[in-house]
């Protein structure tokens, strides 16, 4: 698993034990082991692992967002007793109930609550990967990375604004193929970036491109879906590398969003 940043905040084991005693629940060992080792954060850019929250779903119970028929693993009353342990970037919830084995998946865009199996003998990341396959269609192989929660990490947002005229890019190495920029695109900018910088992890699909740097404590995000946004996510101590990346992007027709 790739660490986006080494600046992480593990949860103290005593905090987890006190929570269990206070709320009368036994938290799954893989979940508590994950938090005490890695702390809260986002796994593979999709699933947010959080400290246990016994109050979050109480405010949702009265809205009848989910169907509680005979096939539902919990009743409407039990919903308010659930402890949220995670969520997705789409707004789905991952929760536990003291009297139910396994994890509850409460989707944002569906009325059907489902159960996710949880093997206490396997790492929590394996359970998360099952959810990634079931709910997000992630299939092997896919890059595994964890982005710890950080209060210090910040971002520089830029807009890619290429000229209307066509350009030709001559590669640094004569044996490399010549890239014809006709017209210029954010995808071509990302490829030029890849040739210029040595990244620790590179993730790319039709929607987005992420270039990770361990020294940056973050990554550079090229928003393919929008076609113009570029973001540098970094820790303050990495300002020198941030400035080097920023200079490259500005030469590539990106301007900072004030």
């Amino acid at each position: 698993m790739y660490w986006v940043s080494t600046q992480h905040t593990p949860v103290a084991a005593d905090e987890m034990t006190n929570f269990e005693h206070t709320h009368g629940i036994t938290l799954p060992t893989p979940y508590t082991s994950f938090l005490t080792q890695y702390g809260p954060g986002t796994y593979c850019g999709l699933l947010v692992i959080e400290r246990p929250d016994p109050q979050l779903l109480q405010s949702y119970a009265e809205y009848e967002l989910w169907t509680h028929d005979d096939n539902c693993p919990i009743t409407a009353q039990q919903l308010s007793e659930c402890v949220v342990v995670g969520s997705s970037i789409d707004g789905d919830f991952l929760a536990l109930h003291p009297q139910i084995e396994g994890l509850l998946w409460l989707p944002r865009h569906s009325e059907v609550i489902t159960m996710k199996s949880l093997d206490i003998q396997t790492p929590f990341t394996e359970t998360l990967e099952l959810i990634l396959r079931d709910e997000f269609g992630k299939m092997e192989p896919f890059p595994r990375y964890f982005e710890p929660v950080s209060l210090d990490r910040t971002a520089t947002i830029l807009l890619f604004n290429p000229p209307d005229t066509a350009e030709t890019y001559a590669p640094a190495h004569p044996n490399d193929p010549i890239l014809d920029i006709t017209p210029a695109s954010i995808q071509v900018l990302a490829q030029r970036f890849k040739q210029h910088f040595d990244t620790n992890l590179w993730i790319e699909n039709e929607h987005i491109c992420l270039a990770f740097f361990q020294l940056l404590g973050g990554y550079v995000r090229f928003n393919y879906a929008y076609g113009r946004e570029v973001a540098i996510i970094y820790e303050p101590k990495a300002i020198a590398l941030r400035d080097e990346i920023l200079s490259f992007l500005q030469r590539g027709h990106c301007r900072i969003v004030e």
Side-chain angles (χ1 to χ4, degrees), residues 144-214:
R144 294 165 172 82
Y145 65 98
F146 181 68
E147 184 174 1
V149 169
S150 172
L151 299 177
D152 297 329
R153 196 177 300 124
T154 187
T156 298
I157 308 298
L158 304 99
L159 282 181
F160 174 56
N161 189 27
D164 295 332
T165 57
E167 299 178 2
T168 300
Y169 170 56
H173 304 288
N175 294 330
D176 290 344
I178 294 177
L179 300 178
D180 293 324
I181 309 176
T182 315
S185 68
I186 195 171
Q187 287 85 350
V188 171
L189 175 65
Q191 296 308 312
R192 293 173 67 173
F193 186 92
K194 185 178 184 180
Q195 290 185 5
H196 188 82
F197 291 97
D198 291 327
T199 58
N200 297 111
L201 179 66
W202 184 271
I203 298 176
E204 186 176 23
N205 56 44
E206 69 269 28
H207 305 296
I208 199 168
C209 176
L210 299 174
F212 294 87
F213 296 82
Q214 194 77 72

Side-chain angles (χ1 to χ4, degrees), residues 16 53 91 93 100 124 135-137 139 147 154 163 172 175 206 211 235:
M16 304 299 286
D53 188 334
F93 292 118
I100 298 174
F124 194 53
E135 302 297 334
F136 297 94
M139 302 301 293
E147 184 174 1
T154 187
N175 294 330
E206 69 269 28
E235 293 174 349

Side-chain angles (χ1 to χ4, degrees), residues 32-46:
T32 57
S33 297
F34 187 95
L35 278 186
T36 54
Q37 182 175 2
Y38 301 117
T42 305
Y43 188 64
C44 295
L46 292 170

Side-chain angles (χ1 to χ4, degrees), residues 24 52 55 71 96 102 126 154 175 202 252-253:
Q55 299 179 334
N71 296 318
L96 300 165
E126 292 190 17
T154 187
N175 294 330
W202 184 271
H253 309 294

Side-chain angles (χ1 to χ4, degrees), residues 107-121:
R108 178 183 179 186
H109 299 295
S110 172
E111 297 178 351
V112 180
I113 298 173
T114 56
M115 290 290 298
K116 303 296 181 183
S117 59
L118 177 63
D119 186 346
I120 62 172
Q121 302 299 323

